[in-house]
Amino acid sequence: WYMLVNAIISILLVAGIIYFIHRYTASGNHLDDEELTSEKDNRNEFEMDIDYMTKEVADAFSRTLRQNFNDGNLSRRELEQKQKKRTALSSAINNAAYGDDDAKKFVKNSIKQLLLDPKYDIENNINRLIPFDRPARIWCTDKTNIILYLYSKRYWLEAVDMLFQEFHLTDPVEINGVFSNVVTKEKMNEIYEIVMSGKSSLGPIDLTFEDKIEIVSQKLFGRYIRFSAVDLLYDLTIDEIDVGVSGVPKNSYTVKTEKRNLPFSYESVWILYHGINIRMECLAFESQDDMIRVCKNIYNYKPPEPLTEENGAVIATTSMGGRIVVFRPPFADSWGFTLRKFDSAPSTLMRNLLHDDNKVIPIVITKWIAKGLLNTIISGQQATGKTTFLKSFIGYIPRQYNLRLQEKQAEMNLRYTYPDRQIISFQETASVSAQEGLNIQKKTNGGINIIGEIAEAIQAAFFVQTANVASYMAIGTHHGIDTDHVIEGIGNNLLEPSVGLFQNEENAIKAVAAVLNIDIHMANDKGDRHLLYINEICPTTEEPYPSDKMEDASLIDKAAADASKYMRKVTNPKPYEVHRLVHWEPKFDENGKKSGGKYVLDATFGSMMEEEIKRHLSIQEEKLFDFDMDMLHRVQTGDDSVEVQNWVEKSLSSF
């Protein structure tokens, strides 16, 4: 009896499971994945808003991706076509999150297709998603992205440039007596009114139904797959996006009161634009969860490791060549990320990179530094344009030399700039240290060795070693504030026990001065990035004391003879001299306001440096070098003859 009951129960359970599986798969087969339509809602009415449509998009995509075709009455060809389309959608969703333009278009078109489902009556309901018909009710973040959309339609990647220049958004704003760089909500509301009234550079604006569909689908795309409030900025030309770096971390304190309405960290968006840090008060994430979702997704293009409570931060590279640093509690006081967009400042011809009067002077000097294979440091603080200048500088290096690049994190993407040159770039990984990478680099037939940033002892040691032997030229960047700090900083790196090259500071500095030929210093003066100066470094020779030749003289006479040299050595103990070749100085208008700058030639190369340059030149190039040096002096004296003008034009047009 008991066995019979158990058998019946087992049969009923199996039958029930089979029934539910059949119902689940059958319901999936009735979904039309080609149209990405939603299941019909049994309700006669539904509340149409952006949250509802975000869920509809997510549900429709989810159903399509889990749809089972095997139980349908499909031919083999139909089955293969549907499976292929499902695979294409899955791939597009993944790739769109990493910045693939084609994948992004595919997914956004799928979202538009869903919006046009008759069920949603989108023509009558679109204002429920974004109240285009009532501008006062549009969220400021939406207004900002609408403006960016309109400017990108006209100016594409230069949308931010045109918007910021037209409305002077880099000018400091006074708030409570303090000046700071911020695009306020009030300013963006004002810009929105100006643009929509047709009084901007865009001319008359008529938001068509197609425009509104595009704007709504972009917002749904950002909410569901990509980077929410900053998704449009991610694709445009700016230097950096920082999120979660100001404001009060959510849930840390109760601060939202009538008297003290402090912003939360998820309402914090900053950008670096032409070297200026600007707080975008007009942009904000919708919630803490929204920002956390983006933080968890934005670094997922080939991440070195997952972001966890244990590691607290991850440094990764985006598909567009940028550097993304994501952080979270407890390591950081809030969730957030910084995205450095190195593709936003691509290597350009140096004539476009430098923009002040007499720019031919630093350009020609730089050209012969590169052609003469002088060991060079490009120095300057952060956001001064060192990496951009270095990428342009490399264009002057003769093409017969192979380039080898070592970076802590891949940033320069030299192969995109010079696809026809032999370049190998190495970066540190969890399993390959900087030392191991540098050791491998030595064995790869490299003629020119480049250190992306000399910030640690091993990088300083490698620069000095390769500048001495095993390469024709060493190049690097450094954060030193002037030439002395660069030399002393690298020298101090060489004293660290992990390197073990020197125990004496004087000997370490001598070693640096002996190999470093040129310091090109970059500056950022309130957003105006320019080359500040070019210095050549010449090691001084150790001269004997006069007393060394005074064998029969008394001690007093020897001391008197040596006094002058001794005092010079004590007061100026540096084993090198710095000679200024070029410097930048500001220009002022008749009202005393700064209006750009100009470059001044202080001197051409010294005899020792000139000899080193010519050692790497052909006889014909030596003649060109001498001619260029003569023409530089004529430019400096203000010679505006036809010969000089033609030479300037030719020098600026050649790479």
Side-chain angles (χ1 to χ4, degrees):
W1 169 254
Y2 290 108
M3 293 178 62
L4 179 61
V5 171
N6 288 335
I8 294 172
I9 292 174
S10 298
I11 292 171
L12 291 174
L13 286 173
V14 171
I17 292 171
I18 293 173
Y19 172 77
F20 282 114
I21 291 175
H22 174 74
R23 285 294 302 274
Y24 176 80
T25 56
S27 65
N29 286 334
H30 292 145
L31 294 174
D32 187 353
D33 68 304
E34 294 182 35
E35 300 298 329
L36 280 174
T37 54
S38 299
E39 293 175 327
K40 293 295 180 180
D41 198 321
N42 291 327
R43 296 173 297 172
N44 293 326
E45 296 181 357
F46 53 85
E47 183 61 35
M48 171 76 85
D49 59 21
I50 199 69
D51 291 328
Y52 175 85
M53 282 311 305
T54 302
K55 185 177 183 302
E56 288 289 284
V57 169
D59 289 347
F61 280 21
S62 177
R63 283 193 302 275
T64 300
L65 295 176
R66 64 176 168 80
Q67 191 170 354
N68 188 333
F69 305 118
N70 294 327
D71 292 339
N73 296 319
L74 301 174
S75 67
R76 180 174 180 179
R77 184 175 180 180
E78 290 173 331
L79 178 62
E80 289 177 350
Q81 287 178 341
K82 286 185 174 291
Q83 289 175 335
K84 186 177 180 180
K85 290 181 180 180
R86 180 172 62 184
T87 302
L89 177 62
S90 176
S91 176
I93 290 173
N94 290 330
N95 293 334
Y98 304 140
D100 185 289
D101 285 338
D102 290 336
K104 179 178 179 179
K105 290 176 183 176
F106 184 95
V107 175
K108 284 182 65 176
N109 284 336
S110 298
I111 293 174
K112 292 178 193 176
Q113 205 171 5
L114 176 65
L115 286 171
L116 294 173
D117 185 334
K119 169 188 175 178
Y120 302 114
D121 189 17
I122 196 63
E123 290 193 24
N124 292 319
N125 285 325
I126 196 165
N127 290 327
R128 294 188 179 187
L129 304 179
I130 296 177
F132 297 103
D133 57 338
R134 290 174 288 178
R137 297 189 59 183
I138 299 178
W139 185 34
C140 191
T141 294
D142 286 338
K143 284 185 177 178
T144 304
N145 281 315
I146 291 171
I147 295 299
L148 290 175
Y149 163 75
L150 293 171
Y151 271 77
S152 63
K153 278 185 66 178
R154 171 74 62 84
Y155 303 113
W156 197 39
L157 295 178
E158 306 306 316
V160 175
D161 273 338
M162 299 305 298
L163 175 64
F164 273 55
Q165 290 170 18
E166 181 174 352
F167 293 100
H168 307 288
L169 297 183
T170 57
D171 293 348
V173 177
E174 184 179 5
I175 301 177
N176 297 326
V178 177
F179 284 91
S180 58
N181 293 105
V182 56
V183 180
T184 63
K185 295 176 182 177
E186 291 76 16
K187 182 65 176 180
M188 188 52 65
N189 286 331
E190 175 188 327
I191 292 172
Y192 188 85
E193 290 181 9
I194 293 172
V195 170
M196 301 311 290
S197 64
K199 298 177 182 178
S200 72
S201 63
L202 299 179
I205 295 295
D206 178 23
L207 274 185
T208 64
F209 177 71
E210 288 72 20
D211 285 327
K212 294 177 182 179
I213 284 288
E214 179 67 31
I215 292 167
V216 170
S217 65
Q218 167 61 43
K219 180 166 184 175
L220 292 170
F221 173 75
R223 273 174 142 238
Y224 172 54
I225 292 177
R226 281 248 293 201
F227 312 136
S228 193
V230 298
D231 193 58
L232 274 177
L233 277 180
Y234 181 89
D235 294 326
L236 298 176
T237 304
I238 55 174
D239 299 326
E240 184 167 315
I241 302 172
D242 301 330
V243 167
V245 295
S246 63
V248 179
K250 177 71 173 176
N251 299 327
S252 58
Y253 303 99
T254 302
V255 294
K256 292 286 185 180
T257 65
E258 292 182 2
K259 294 183 179 181
R260 189 179 173 87
N261 192 28
L262 300 179
F264 286 126
S265 58
Y266 67 80
E267 299 171 299
S268 157
V269 176
W270 294 65
I271 65 171
L272 185 67
Y273 173 75
H274 294 327
I276 305 174
N277 279 302
I278 301 174
R279 181 165 65 92
M280 300 292 287
E281 186 191 68
C282 56
L283 280 174
F285 287 79
E286 296 183 29
S287 66
Q288 179 80 353
D289 290 341
D290 187 31
M291 184 179 73
I292 291 175
R293 177 190 65 81
V294 173
C295 289
K296 289 180 176 180
N297 292 336
I298 197 169
Y299 75 98
N300 279 330
Y301 177 76
K302 298 180 180 178
E305 58 183 335
L307 179 66
T308 65
E309 287 189 11
E310 286 71 27
N311 60 21
V314 173
I315 303 174
T317 302
T318 71
S319 63
M320 299 169 68
R323 180 185 65 205
I324 178 75
V325 181
V326 187
F327 45 86
R328 57 158 298 168
F331 170 73
D333 57 353
S334 73
W335 287 81
F337 63 84
T338 65
L339 169 63
R340 188 69 185 271
K341 296 186 63 189
F342 293 98
D343 64 311
S344 70
S347 177
T348 62
L349 297 175
M350 200 167 288
R351 64 175 177 266
N352 297 327
L353 191 61
L354 302 181
H355 49 78
D356 291 302
D357 292 353
N358 288 346
K359 64 183 179 181
V360 70
I361 294 175
I363 287 175
V364 170
I365 291 290
T366 297
K367 177 183 73 174
W368 289 109
I369 290 171
K371 287 184 175 295
L373 306 181
L374 299 181
N375 298 320
T376 302
I377 290 290
I378 299 172
S379 62
Q381 298 298 295
Q382 288 186 338
T384 55
K386 297 187 299 298
T387 301
T388 305
F389 187 88
L390 175 55
K391 291 172 74 173
S392 186
F393 173 82
I394 287 169
Y396 289 118
I397 298 174
R399 290 181 175 266
Q400 68 263 32
Y401 299 107
N402 303 331
L403 306 180
R404 300 295 180 260
L405 172 65
Q406 177 72 30
E407 298 180 277
K408 188 174 183 66
Q409 188 71 27
E411 298 175 351
M412 292 185 64
N413 300 305
L414 284 182
R415 290 200 192 192
Y416 292 93
T417 309
Y418 304 105
D420 57 343
R421 298 198 63 159
Q422 194 196 104
I423 301 171
I424 303 177
S425 299
F426 301 96
Q427 67 171 336
E428 291 184 49
T429 68
S431 56
V432 181
S433 66
Q435 178 65 73
E436 291 171 320
L438 294 170
N439 291 340
I440 294 171
Q441 182 176 328
K442 295 176 185 177
K443 300 175 176 62
T444 60
N445 187 29
I448 309 296
N449 287 288
I450 305 169
I451 308 295
E453 181 180 331
I454 302 174
E456 298 177 358
I458 182 58
Q459 295 155 344
F462 184 72
F463 179 86
V464 171
Q465 290 171 0
T466 55
N468 264 321
V469 294
S471 68
Y472 294 100
M473 180 186 190
I475 313 171
T477 66
H478 195 278
H479 283 152
I481 61 175
D482 57 32
T483 302
D484 288 336
H485 280 83
V486 170
I487 296 173
E488 291 168 7
I490 297 176
N492 289 333
N493 286 144
L494 300 181
L495 295 173
E496 294 190 19
S498 60
V499 173
L501 290 181
F502 296 95
Q503 285 77 43
N504 179 276
E505 181 180 6
E506 182 179 354
N507 291 335
I509 291 177
K510 281 183 179 179
V512 177
V515 300
L516 179 57
N517 303 130
I518 298 292
D519 174 28
I520 300 175
H521 193 79
M522 307 301 293
N524 183 343
D525 183 11
K526 298 180 180 178
D528 177 21
R529 291 190 283 191
H530 53 266
L531 186 157
L532 187 61
Y533 60 73
I534 301 176
N535 287 342
E536 66 175 16
I537 297 101
C538 300
T540 55
T541 57
E542 185 68 28
E543 298 177 357
Y545 279 96
S547 62
D548 293 341
K549 299 179 181 180
M550 301 169 61
E551 296 181 0
D552 299 327
S554 66
L555 291 177
I556 295 176
D557 290 338
K558 288 183 178 182
D562 293 342
S564 177
K565 177 177 174 56
Y566 175 78
M567 290 304 297
R568 286 198 305 272
K569 186 173 182 179
V570 170
T571 57
N572 185 27
K574 294 187 297 186
Y576 62 90
E577 294 178 350
V578 176
H579 301 153
R580 180 66 51 87
L581 302 179
V582 178
H583 76 273
W584 177 92
E585 59 185 38
K587 290 172 55 182
F588 300 90
D589 60 21
E590 61 276 6
N591 298 319
K593 185 177 180 180
K594 194 181 80 169
S595 58
K598 66 177 180 179
Y599 288 101
V600 177
L601 178 70
D602 296 283
T604 51
F605 297 98
S607 57
M608 184 177 71
M609 213 64 69
E610 182 176 324
E611 181 180 345
E612 178 65 20
I613 291 173
K614 288 185 175 181
R615 192 166 66 86
H616 299 97
L617 304 180
S618 65
I619 295 176
Q620 184 179 4
E621 286 176 326
E622 285 188 31
K623 293 179 181 179
L624 289 174
F625 173 84
D626 291 334
F627 180 72
D628 279 357
M629 295 303 104
D630 177 61
M631 296 302 286
L632 285 177
H633 284 293
R634 293 176 65 176
V635 169
Q636 179 58 39
T637 58
D639 186 340
D640 60 352
S641 64
V642 173
E643 182 185 13
V644 172
Q645 291 179 15
N646 290 339
W647 174 83
V648 169
E649 183 178 349
K650 183 178 179 180
S651 297
L652 294 179
S653 62
S654 63
F655 191 62

